[in-house]
Amino acid sequence: MKTTTVKKNQKPQVNDTSVNSELQQLYVERIERFMALVELSYALKHSPKIIQSK
């Protein structure tokens, strides 16, 4: 009869790919938002100014 040893330090199997996928999606979304803000900021800074004269 074989004896089986139980590893106490072993973590339960978690689907790491789904966690990584969700984190990657969140990261990409936030990077896209940030780049949109950078693009808008650049456009506003370098746009021609309209000066109203009386």
Side-chain angles (χ1 to χ4, degrees):
M1 194 179 210
K2 293 183 179 180
T3 60
T4 58
T5 59
V6 177
K7 295 181 181 179
K8 294 181 181 179
N9 294 336
Q10 185 178 11
K11 295 181 181 179
Q13 290 290 336
V14 179
N15 194 352
D16 288 338
T17 57
S18 68
V19 173
N20 288 340
S21 176
E22 289 173 12
L23 286 175
Q24 189 173 14
Q25 253 182 331
L26 182 63
Y27 177 76
V28 167
E29 182 181 334
R30 289 188 179 178
I31 289 292
E32 286 175 350
R33 286 184 187 181
F34 175 73
M35 291 308 294
L37 285 173
V38 169
E39 188 177 350
L40 179 62
S41 175
Y42 180 85
L44 289 173
K45 184 175 182 180
H46 293 87
S47 64
K49 306 296 185 267
I50 299 174
I51 301 173
Q52 292 181 347
S53 58
K54 292 184 180 179

